[in-house]
Amino acid sequence: ADTFQNMMGYGLFTGGLGLHYGAERLGCMVIPTSTGNSPKQIELMQDFGATLAHITPSYALHLGEFVQNELGLDPRDMPIKKAILGAEPYSEGTKDKIEQLWNLDAYNNYGLSEMNGPGVALECVHKKGMHCAEDYYIIEIIDPDTCEPVPEGEYGELVLTHINREAMPIIRYRTRDLTRIIPGTCECGRTLRRLDRMKGRTDDMLIISGVNVFPSQIEGVLMGIPEVGNNYQIVVDRQANLDRLHVRVELYAKMFTGDVKALEKLKASIVNKLKSVIVVTPRIEFCEPGTLPVSMGKAVRVIDNRKI
């Protein structure tokens, strides 16, 4: 009897389609609104009486503030009663804030495109870990350095094997996500083992508005542009509860001739080239040679100012 408003990206993303068909299978009415366009999201939510949402945590906060500040309404008066959150890292504090803002129950969800999207693990009503769909996945937790299994209850890297896929079987896939198997059984009675909230990653991948972005992708684009120098810096911020990607780029000195139109044209070209590779639209800032710190690796190349 639920109406499911799916605010995750469709197209080539697994987030939207992954739960769309699952909700239909359960008998829900599905509203495939995808991402963005906040006025339309609220209009559809009210018109169809949506009771369940699938949404990124950052957009849930942003949408709640939009309802308050732009529409002059109280998010708690909206028909949404439950929300499935995922696609990006967030804290329990953020989840609590979303629940209070909208007066709903929020559930943590885990998935990855390599394993059919958002159906790998999901919290039950007791919210004490995410039950892994072990009828589809074999789960292991290993030491990321030695690749040896760690004792149950200890943190390590999550490794998944898909046991039902025929066209593209994946065996012992290293997710790079750090978590643990929660010991014991859940109060709900399910025997499926539970994964704890993801603690971090073993590589330098960034998750920006639900999109996986590797610094090497950005570097590959920048280093192929003749006007760009040898140094750059990636900064990720969260503004109005939405992720923002800033790329600071050093240009060769010969580019600073006072021709503003030429620089704006170059900036637009870099934005388009990066967006075609990483999907996310970055904000580009040009810097003079030698102004950015010289270093190697994620520690200085990438600055993540988000507080999740």
Side-chain angles (χ1 to χ4, degrees):
D2 278 299
T3 298
F4 176 49
Q5 186 161 337
N6 200 2
M7 304 186 215
M8 289 291 189
Y10 278 73
L12 296 178
F13 283 97
T14 59
L17 290 170
L19 293 193
H20 180 118
Y21 293 119
E24 285 187 345
R25 184 78 175 269
L26 289 173
C28 295
M29 175 181 176
V30 179
I31 313 299
T33 56
S34 193
T35 56
N37 197 344
S38 298
K40 183 62 69 174
Q41 296 280 8
I42 299 304
E43 181 183 345
L44 291 170
M45 186 184 296
Q46 292 175 314
D47 287 350
F48 289 100
T51 54
L52 172 65
H54 183 207
I55 188 171
T56 61
S58 58
Y59 190 53
L61 291 172
H62 175 79
L63 193 61
E65 291 185 350
F66 172 82
V67 171
Q68 290 176 322
N69 301 330
E70 300 297 326
L71 302 182
L73 301 174
D74 190 338
R76 293 174 295 180
D77 293 332
M78 295 293 133
I80 294 289
K81 300 303 177 189
K82 287 180 171 52
I84 297 172
L85 307 176
E88 63 188 18
Y90 68 103
S91 66
E92 279 294 317
T94 296
K95 181 171 146 183
D96 292 341
K97 189 175 181 180
I98 292 169
E99 290 184 325
Q100 294 169 10
L101 180 63
W102 288 90
N103 189 29
L104 53 71
D105 277 328
Y107 299 91
N108 194 16
N109 178 54
Y110 175 76
L112 56 163
S113 296
E114 297 87 342
M115 291 288 157
N116 294 0
V120 176
L122 179 67
E123 282 183 323
C124 69
V125 293
H126 294 284
K127 303 180 185 179
K128 294 181 179 178
M130 298 175 288
H131 290 278
C132 183
E134 291 188 271
D135 49 343
Y136 270 75
Y137 308 101
I138 297 172
I139 57 174
E140 302 172 79
I141 307 293
I142 65 168
D143 183 311
D145 296 321
T146 66
C147 293
E148 293 296 320
V150 301
E152 187 174 279
E154 291 190 12
Y155 280 95
E157 181 181 346
L158 175 63
V159 174
L160 294 170
T161 296
H162 200 299
I163 57 180
N164 291 316
R165 181 184 282 168
E166 296 179 5
M168 193 178 73
I170 298 180
I171 300 172
R172 301 202 77 201
Y173 180 78
R174 295 186 63 175
T175 66
R176 303 295 180 183
D177 290 320
L178 295 172
T179 184
R180 69 184 182 110
I181 294 174
I182 299 175
T185 56
C186 184
E187 299 171 43
C188 73
R190 289 180 179 87
T191 57
L192 299 171
R193 287 181 295 171
R194 294 167 293 157
L195 295 176
D196 208 342
R197 173 180 293 278
M198 299 299 141
K199 187 179 180 181
R201 291 186 58 82
T202 64
D203 62 7
D204 60 354
M205 187 184 82
L206 296 165
I207 301 178
I208 302 173
S209 297
V211 179
N212 297 346
V213 176
F214 287 91
S216 57
Q217 292 176 296
I218 296 175
E219 180 175 307
V221 172
L222 295 179
M223 295 301 105
I225 299 173
E227 297 87 349
V228 172
N230 296 323
N231 207 0
Y232 67 93
Q233 191 175 64
I234 300 166
V235 181
V236 186
D237 288 308
R238 184 158 286 173
Q239 300 172 5
N241 291 311
L242 295 177
D243 292 341
R244 304 296 185 193
L245 174 63
H246 304 265
V247 182
R248 296 170 179 163
V249 181
E250 286 189 4
L251 298 182
Y252 289 112
K254 62 182 181 181
M255 294 303 301
F256 294 98
T257 61
D259 189 342
V260 177
K261 289 186 177 179
L263 290 177
E264 290 299 324
K265 184 178 179 180
L266 175 61
K267 185 176 292 186
S269 174
I270 294 175
V271 168
N272 290 332
K273 288 179 179 179
L274 284 172
K275 186 178 179 181
S276 69
V277 173
I278 64 175
V279 180
V280 177
T281 302
R283 178 178 178 270
I284 303 298
E285 178 185 339
F286 289 147
C287 303
E288 295 182 356
T291 56
L292 294 177
V294 179
S295 62
M296 297 180 63
K298 178 183 176 182
V300 177
R301 284 284 200 204
V302 178
I303 300 175
D304 194 340
N305 292 324
R306 293 173 293 183
K307 295 180 180 179
I308 60 171

